[in-house]
């Protein structure tokens, strides 16, 4: 599921309590789209005694560096999958200890998810074959002396990643213009 589809689904997911909404409003409030009264909820749980297929396994890894100078911050990320299964796409989240400026030019596949958060999709990551590069050059609100950048995988294309140590990082970047690796 691409980042835009994941973000759109998260923004429009509505839970309707007790079956269909007959009054024209849903549990999310009057602004949400109404569910027709003749639509019954679908049960997607496996039948009694049936077992679900196990999730594929992958080992996503993100490494790179952060550079801070003045009100500018640059992040370079190398995302790869060490296997054993391929990943159709994944999403990496970057959270900053300082707010980002309101106007940002983000690369293709990235979007704002708050005042100090950016989400970027990595695209498909084949098992043990190459890596994807993501480059962000962002403007902060003000010129902080340092910024903490927290980076993690928030979606792995349905694959299970049991080694989270190489895809979750926290980097302190002083405003020296030097590159700080993660």
């Amino acid at each position: 599921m691409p980042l835009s589809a994941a973000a759109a689904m998260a923004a429009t997911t509505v839970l309707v309590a007790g079956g269909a909404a007959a009054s024209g409003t849903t549990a999310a409030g009057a602004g949400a789209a109404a569910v027709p009264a003749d639509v019954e909820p679908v049960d997607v749980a496996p039948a009694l005694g049936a077992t679900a297929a196990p999730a594929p396994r992958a080992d996503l890894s993100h490494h790179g560096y952060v550079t801070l100078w003045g009100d500018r911050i640059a992040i370079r990320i190398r995302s790869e999958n060490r296997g054993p299964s391929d990943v159709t796409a994944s999403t990496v989240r970057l959270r900053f200890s300082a707010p980002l400026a309101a106007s940002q030019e983000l690369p293709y596949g990235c979007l704002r998810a708050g005042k100090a958060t950016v989400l970027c999709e990595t695209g498909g990551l084949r098992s043990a074959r190459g890596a994807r590069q993501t480059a962000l050059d962002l403007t902060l609100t003000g010129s902080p002396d340092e910024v903490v950048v927290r980076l993690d995988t928030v979606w792995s294309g349905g694959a299970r990643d049991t080694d989270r140590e190489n895809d979750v990082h926290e980097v302190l970047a002083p405003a020296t213009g030097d590159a700080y690796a993660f």
Side-chain angles (χ1 to χ4, degrees):
M1 177 183 313
L3 175 65
S4 56
M9 186 185 318
T12 61
T13 300
V14 177
L15 298 176
V16 180
S23 67
T25 61
T26 64
V35 176
D38 60 342
V39 175
E40 289 298 319
V42 177
D43 185 9
V44 294
L48 187 59
T51 58
R57 286 188 356 207
D59 182 13
L60 299 181
S61 157
H62 306 292
H63 297 286
Y65 64 89
V66 176
T67 305
L68 175 66
W69 69 102
D71 66 345
R72 305 289 300 171
I73 188 163
I75 300 103
R76 301 296 182 260
I77 307 166
R78 176 183 167 91
S79 300
E80 60 187 319
N81 174 14
R82 297 179 181 172
S85 300
D86 292 346
V87 172
T88 56
S90 70
T91 302
V92 64
R93 173 176 53 190
L94 297 138
R95 293 177 288 168
F96 303 91
S97 62
L100 300 169
S103 178
Q104 294 290 330
E105 190 169 327
L106 297 173
Y108 178 79
C110 294
L111 60 82
R112 292 281 295 262
K115 290 181 181 181
T117 304
V118 173
L119 300 172
C120 293
E121 67 178 342
T122 65
L125 297 172
R126 297 192 62 185
S127 175
R129 292 192 184 138
R132 296 286 184 128
Q133 305 287 333
T134 304
L136 294 113
D137 293 303
L138 305 171
T139 304
L140 300 167
T141 300
S143 297
D145 293 332
E146 62 185 31
V147 170
V148 175
V149 179
R150 293 173 184 85
L151 179 138
D152 62 333
T153 301
V154 292
W155 187 65
S156 60
R160 186 172 51 98
D161 188 346
T162 57
D163 180 11
R164 297 300 308 261
E165 289 185 27
N166 56 3
D167 68 316
V168 175
H169 302 283
E170 185 171 298
V171 182
L172 173 65
T176 61
D178 296 320
Y180 293 92
F182 58 88

